[in-house]
Every structure is written in structure tokens, then in C-alpha cells.
Amino acid sequence: MWLLHDYGNRKVRRMAEDTGLDFTDQIYALEAKYQQALRDLYTHLTPIQRLQIARHPNRPTVLDHILNMTEKWVELHGDRAGYDDPAMVTGIGSIEGRSYLFIGHQKGRNTKENIMRNFAMPTPHGYRKALRMMKYADHHGFPIVTFVDTPGAFADLRSEELGQGEAIAYNLRAMFGLKVPIITVVTGEGGSGGALAIGCANKLLMLENSAFYVASPEACAAILWKSSQAAPKAAEKLRITAQEHYRLRIADGIIPEPLGGAHADPFWASQQIKHAILDAMAELGRMNSEQLLHQRMLKFRYIGGFQEGIQVEPERKRNMKPSEANTPPADLESELANLKKKILEAKGPSDPVTIQVLEKLQEDLDNEMTKAFIAMGLEDKVESLKLELQRAPNPDQPLNKSLQEKADKIMQEFKQKLSQPGAYLGLKQKLYTVNMASRLIELKNKSEKIKTEVNQKIPTTVKAKIDRLKTASEKLRIGDSLDTNLVEEVEKAKKELEDVLRSANLEIVGTRKRTNVAVPPELEEEVAKVNAEIKEEMERAVTRSGLSEKIEELKAEIVKDSNSEKVIELETEIREGIAATLSVTPVKKKVESLREKLASLTKDDAESKVILENGRW
């Protein structure tokens, strides 16, 4: 915009010189339009735009501000333990006759200087140099002014070996014990611990277009959304701007910048910083050492959510929702059992309970799918495909070859990332649940259809006999005996019912008699105990046989295709592995003993037999 404005002004002036006409009014109008457009643009900046201004290559550096503010300036070098880190600048300067110790991150003014300054990312020697100067100022009673402008501490292997974390942590602890006033000014961007290592101050001031964050928006977006393109969204969520920090009472003041940013008028911006420092010193200068330490402690305690005079619980409770993108499935078996119960108890395929269950499942699945696509970085591809589908002349027609290939490619990439072991477990659980629900509903619909067909083909006379069958069953259940006539009617009704079922093209596999056996309470307790032992033994069997990975693989394959050969092969392998391990266990003897006790309770073992299979009735 500035280039366009300058070009327009020069063009109008050249025309005035060539023609001899007066274009003063036009020039003033252009100036006014430019200033208004600039004002509108910089009044409503987004967080990511403010961060871009803070990173502007022409933005004044720490040394620029110091030289513009001070009457005298002497730079001090070295940490007396290694080498002088050029990314950290320290020195003594005077403002209005008073000496201050200045410390700050120094960026370069061009590529060569940026490389020399390591892009204002200090090594441990830089932080130890800053600590040495802070102790020097504390000894001589100099107020400390620190300038923050760094993407973060330098995280190379050498810095880690030299104790980067230890150097930062030591600075944090030491700054809370300094007995002189400390003022921190964020002039550009303040990245994480690299900025906080010289930022534990009594007063934190921020330039209007500066930013302070625990992680850069690009890094945050790469972690949460798996794509740095979501940096604008991350910048809003992180609340990195000076305005947000002032609202949250982290920053104690906002220093105005000239229209267009500090680089538009560096000297004016430096003078604003100077006035803000003097105002802060006027307040802090009235405090003694103990008051300074107490005020600094209270400031950071408030940021952490603690307030003096208010009792704090020993254990603070936080309702934090766990991430669902990679949450291991909860009790999947019980969830499926509840789902199966709801579907089977529903009255017909269009029962409201069934519809509600399906809608809830589909809604949860849609949410998980959306999160997964965003996490996989496929959101932009899906949106692009949607736009192309909307532009199609007839959306109802089948996809053309190009769109079909794009859709297949997206789904192939989605399935490939979904199949990774241990990834997107929450989504896999919901896919498996929806698949099982669909199969249950399909089976229920078939059974309802068969039931309707059978009821249509059963004559009224047979229905009356079926009622007699129910009456006989009820009598047997309560222990009443049946007379001879009722027994004959029951047998005759059974034969007629079999004929009706055969006429409906249903195959009769066989019939069997059931006798309800009253199980003693002590035997029920023994059954429950054996069931618990079997469950524990099965868990141990899975662990001993190393089938945990096979089970996870089976879950992943079921999500892809529950009827594939791979699923059948894995089920067989798991079943055989568990059976082989369980066959030698002492639980088998208990089960056999329990079967004998249950069998002895019946009078006719051929007709009434209680089966205990896998620890279940």
C-alpha cells in the first residue's frame, strides 16, 4: 500500500511539473485517502496479522531502541564460563541521568547479521550472561530493563548438551530473588521459556503489535491440526496479542506504536517505550526491596490463579475433557451389549428407540470423522472435492472419472492412516459400533419380515392352539403338572405349527424339551465364582500367548471389512490360542464338576440339560 501511495504521489507531482497546473488539492485528497485506509487496516488486525507485524524484517531491534532512549550506553559481554552469545545483548545505559542495566534479545537487520545473531535465539551462554549481569545490577542497585524479542531458546543438540533447560530454570528462580525493580518490554515476539527466562518482572509492558506465547501458532497448528496452515486459527485460540494479555492481567500496560507498526517511525516508538519505563519506575521506585519481592510474587501468583487471603483446596479439581481423537476404546463389550439390547427390545424397525440410537451413533461418527480428517490434514482436499461437486452441472449424476479418482485417493489415504496401530482408536470404536448396529438392525428387519409372513400364513385355529401351547408352558414354568388331554393337544399343535412353518419355506432343524431347574443359591454363587475365575484366566491366557496385538489387529480389520478372510483367519487364530492355553488350566476341572452338579438336579438328563459354555449360561 505504501508503494502504491508513493507511486501515485510521484505521478501527480510529475504531471504538475510537466503541465504547470496546480494539483495541490488532488495530492491532499490522496494523502487523506491513504491515511484513512491505513487507519482502517491497522485498527482491525487479526492476531496472526499482529504477529506478522511483530516479525517484520524492518522492525527496530533492541539495540535500536536502547540507542534511541539512552544518553550513554556501554555494552557488556561474556558469561565468564564459555563464550559471548551475540543473540543476547547486555549493557549499562542512562536515561535522564539514572543508570539502568539493559538486557535483550538481538535480531539482525539483514540476513548476514541474523545468521551472526542466530535469529535472536540464545544458547545457554546467553542466559548465563544475562544472569551474571542481573546479579551485577542487584549488587550495585541498578534497575533492570529487559527487552523480549525471540522465537524461543535455541534448541540444537549442542545447547541441550550444555544445559539449556537448566540455564533457563536457574534464571527463573534467580529473578524472583533480585531486590531491584525489574521491567520487561516485549518489543516483538516472545517465545516460550526463551522469553520468560528474562521476563520474570515487576512490570510487563508490551508494544501494541507484539506477541507473547508458549508455542508459536505454526507449531501449535502442526501439533493440534497436523498442518501449519491452521496457524491463524491457532493464533486466535492461544490469545497471544498484547490486548489479550492486558485483558487477562498478564501484561501491565500496552505501549502504542505509530500507524503501520514500529518500523514506520522507530524513533517515535522508542520514545514511547522510554516514557512507559519512566512511568513504571516512578511507581516501583517508591517500594523497598521487600515490597518489590512481594509485588513480583503476587503478580505471578495471580497469573497462576492464586489470590492472597483466599483458602486454596489441597487438590484443585479440573474438569478436563480427554482428547477423543486417540482415546482407547472404553468397555466396548458392554457398550455393544447395551446397544444390542436396545435394538432387539425395540418394537419394529421404525421404533423411536431404534431411530434415536441410530441418530446418536451417526452424529458421534460424523464428529469423529471430521476430527480425523482435520488431524490427518485431509480437510483441504475434502473441501476442494466438495467445491468441484457443487460446480458439476448435474450433481445427481454419477461422478466422472476425474472426481471419482480424487475421491478414491482421499479415501485410500484416510484408510491407510486410520489403519496405523494405536491411532484414532475412538473413531475405530465408533465405526465398529455403527457396523454392528447396522448388522443387528438388518437381522431384526429380516426377523420382523419373517414373523409377518408366518403370521399371515397361520390359520386362526392354529393360533388358538399356539395360545394353548403358551398356557402349557406357563404351567410347566410354575411347576404344575399337565393332564393327558392337554399333553395330546400340545403335541398336535406342535405338528400343525411345523407344517405351517414348512409352508413358509422355513426349515425345521429340530425341537427340544426344556425343564426349568431351580438352582440352589449356593450353587449360583459357585457358578458366579467360576465365571469370574474363567474371565481372569482368559485375560491371563491372552497375556501369556501374546495375543494382544492380534486382538488390536482384529479390531482394525473389522472396521475395514467385518466379513473379510483376514478377519476370519484372525478370529480362528485367537480362538485356538486361547483354547490351547485354557485347556491345561485347573478351571476346566471346576467347570466339569459344576456340570455334574447341575445335571444331577434334573430328573431326565436327556430332555433337560444345563450347558455351561465359556463360563456363561
Side-chain angles (χ1 to χ4, degrees):
M1 180 178 286
W2 181 83
L3 290 175
L4 291 174
H5 162 71
D6 186 55
Y7 173 73
N9 269 350
R10 283 191 283 110
K11 189 173 182 180
V12 173
R13 293 182 190 280
R14 194 180 301 114
M15 287 177 61
E17 292 174 0
D18 293 342
T19 60
L21 299 176
D22 186 8
F23 288 101
T24 306
D25 294 340
Q26 287 84 347
I27 292 174
Y28 287 158
L30 282 173
E31 290 281 357
K33 277 186 179 180
Y34 169 72
Q35 291 297 328
Q36 185 59 41
L38 201 64
R39 195 174 296 108
D40 293 341
L41 177 64
Y42 280 87
T43 302
H44 306 288
L45 293 174
T46 62
I48 196 67
Q49 288 172 335
R50 292 193 183 276
L51 180 60
Q52 290 167 353
I53 295 173
R55 293 171 174 173
H56 197 284
N58 294 334
R59 193 170 179 84
T61 64
V62 168
L63 282 177
D64 293 332
H65 289 306
I66 291 175
L67 294 174
N68 287 335
M69 289 189 302
T70 58
E71 296 93 21
K72 295 180 181 179
W73 161 250
V74 177
E75 186 175 352
L76 303 175
H77 300 272
D79 67 340
R80 300 297 185 267
Y83 61 88
D84 181 44
D85 187 353
M88 186 73 75
V89 170
T90 61
I92 299 176
S94 61
I95 300 177
E96 295 186 357
R98 182 169 186 175
S99 296
Y100 294 82
L101 181 79
F102 293 97
I103 302 172
H105 304 98
Q106 176 63 24
K107 286 185 177 179
R109 298 175 180 85
N110 51 50
T111 303
K112 184 177 180 181
E113 191 174 344
N114 261 322
I115 294 172
M116 188 270 290
R117 297 282 184 182
N118 200 28
F119 296 88
M121 293 187 290
T123 63
H125 294 287
Y127 292 114
R128 287 170 184 144
K129 176 170 73 170
L131 179 62
R132 184 175 77 89
M133 298 306 168
M134 288 179 194
K135 291 180 178 179
Y136 179 83
D138 190 45
H139 177 74
H140 292 282
F142 294 152
I144 299 172
V145 178
T146 65
F147 295 91
V148 172
D149 187 14
T150 178
F154 196 44
D156 68 326
L157 179 61
R158 183 62 178 162
S159 296
E160 295 299 328
E161 290 175 347
L162 292 174
Q164 183 73 282
E166 182 268 346
I168 292 173
Y170 200 90
N171 275 27
L172 297 177
R173 186 182 70 174
M175 289 189 76
F176 280 100
L178 299 177
K179 298 179 181 180
V180 294
I182 305 175
I183 300 170
T184 295
V185 182
V186 183
T187 60
E189 57 177 331
S192 191
L196 199 60
I198 60 169
C200 298
N202 296 94
K203 294 287 183 180
L204 175 64
L205 309 173
M206 296 182 70
L207 282 178
E208 184 181 352
N209 293 315
S210 61
F212 210 168
Y213 48 75
V214 68
S216 68
E218 293 82 4
C220 180
I223 294 169
L224 296 181
W225 291 283
K226 303 295 186 286
S227 172
S228 60
Q229 294 179 357
K233 186 192 299 185
E236 292 183 7
K237 300 294 185 183
L238 286 171
R239 300 180 181 181
I240 63 175
T241 61
Q243 292 74 19
E244 288 286 355
H245 282 75
Y246 183 72
R247 184 179 65 81
L248 296 171
R249 294 179 63 180
I250 297 172
D252 298 288
I254 300 176
I255 303 173
E257 295 185 26
L259 198 61
H263 52 279
D265 191 346
F267 183 79
W268 188 87
S270 299
Q271 292 305 307
Q272 297 303 311
I273 295 174
K274 175 182 174 181
H275 295 322
I277 291 173
L278 291 174
D279 290 344
M281 274 304 303
E283 179 183 346
L284 298 176
R286 294 191 290 268
M287 300 182 185
N288 58 32
S289 300
E290 294 300 323
Q291 290 173 332
L292 285 171
L293 291 172
H294 189 64
Q295 187 269 350
R296 200 178 304 151
M297 178 194 70
L298 292 182
K299 173 180 173 58
F300 282 87
R301 281 175 68 85
Y302 178 83
I303 293 173
F306 298 96
Q307 297 183 37
E308 295 299 316
I310 299 177
Q311 188 174 2
V312 181
E313 297 179 11
E315 295 182 2
R316 299 181 62 197
K317 298 178 181 178
R318 297 176 176 86
N319 295 324
M320 298 181 67
K321 183 180 179 182
S323 173
E324 297 178 358
N326 200 24
T327 305
D331 192 356
L332 187 58
E333 289 77 9
S334 62
E335 183 179 340
L336 286 175
N338 293 334
L339 178 63
K340 182 178 179 181
K341 183 179 179 182
K342 286 182 180 179
I343 293 175
L344 294 180
E345 289 179 355
K347 299 176 181 179
S350 59
D351 187 83
V353 177
T354 310
I355 295 173
Q356 187 178 0
V357 169
L358 284 177
E359 288 178 351
K360 181 67 170 61
L361 277 174
Q362 194 59 48
E363 183 182 351
D364 292 346
L365 182 60
D366 290 342
N367 292 335
E368 285 294 327
M369 291 283 284
T370 302
K371 291 178 184 178
F373 271 102
I374 293 173
M376 293 176 184
L378 300 175
E379 186 181 16
D380 294 338
K381 294 181 181 179
V382 174
E383 292 297 330
S384 175
L385 184 62
K386 285 182 181 178
L387 289 175
E388 291 188 31
L389 288 173
Q390 291 173 359
R391 295 193 195 104
N394 192 352
D396 296 331
Q397 293 293 330
L399 297 179
N400 58 43
K401 186 177 180 181
S402 175
L403 290 178
Q404 187 64 50
E405 287 178 355
K406 286 185 178 180
D408 292 341
K409 188 175 180 182
I410 292 173
M411 286 308 299
Q412 184 179 359
E413 187 175 352
F414 173 76
K415 289 180 179 179
Q416 183 180 358
K417 292 182 178 180
L418 184 66
S419 62
Q420 295 176 356
Y424 308 101
L425 299 180
L427 175 58
K428 289 177 182 177
Q429 176 187 0
K430 287 181 173 57
L431 281 171
Y432 179 69
T433 306
V434 170
N435 187 22
M436 291 298 296
S438 302
R439 290 172 64 182
L440 285 171
I441 290 171
E442 184 181 355
L443 290 173
K444 183 173 176 59
N445 290 341
K446 286 182 179 179
S447 66
E448 291 289 337
K449 185 179 178 182
I450 293 172
K451 188 187 297 183
T452 304
E453 292 178 358
V454 170
N455 287 333
Q456 289 174 353
K457 293 185 179 182
I458 294 178
T460 308
T461 55
V462 177
K463 289 182 180 179
K465 293 180 179 180
I466 291 174
D467 292 337
R468 295 284 288 171
L469 279 174
K470 291 180 180 178
T471 304
S473 299
E474 183 65 22
K475 285 187 175 183
L476 287 174
R477 188 181 68 80
I478 61 177
D480 293 348
S481 59
L482 301 179
D483 54 25
T484 308
N485 293 333
L486 186 57
V487 172
E488 291 178 359
E489 287 184 14
V490 167
E491 293 298 328
K492 188 176 180 181
K494 281 184 179 180
K495 291 179 181 179
E496 291 184 7
L497 183 58
E498 289 177 9
D499 294 337
V500 171
L501 293 176
R502 288 193 181 93
S503 66
N505 296 323
L506 295 175
E507 183 182 355
I508 308 296
V509 178
T511 61
R512 80 177 167 180
K513 299 177 182 179
R514 293 184 179 178
T515 304
N516 293 310
V517 181
V519 182
E522 61 272 10
L523 197 55
E524 287 185 355
E525 292 179 2
E526 190 174 350
V527 170
K529 186 177 178 181
V530 171
N531 282 339
E533 290 183 10
I534 291 174
K535 186 176 180 181
E536 293 178 0
E537 186 59 34
M538 288 185 71
E539 291 176 356
R540 285 195 292 267
V542 170
T543 306
R544 285 197 301 268
S545 56
L547 295 173
S548 301
E549 295 181 359
K550 293 287 183 184
I551 293 173
E552 291 297 327
E553 186 180 356
L554 176 61
K555 290 180 181 178
E557 290 294 332
I558 289 175
V559 171
K560 297 178 185 177
D561 184 5
S562 59
N563 297 321
S564 65
E565 294 181 0
K566 182 69 172 176
V567 170
I568 298 172
E569 181 183 341
L570 286 170
E571 286 179 347
T572 305
E573 186 176 348
I574 292 170
R575 194 180 296 112
E576 290 177 354
I578 294 176
T581 311
L582 287 175
S583 62
V584 295
T585 59
V587 178
K588 188 176 180 181
K589 296 180 180 179
K590 294 183 180 179
V591 173
E592 294 296 335
S593 173
L594 196 57
R595 279 179 177 170
E596 293 176 2
K597 290 180 182 179
L598 291 172
S600 64
L601 294 175
T602 61
K603 296 179 181 179
D604 188 357
D605 189 57
E607 292 184 354
S608 56
K609 183 178 181 181
V610 178
I611 301 174
L612 186 68
E613 181 178 0
N614 289 337
R616 297 181 183 177
W617 292 92

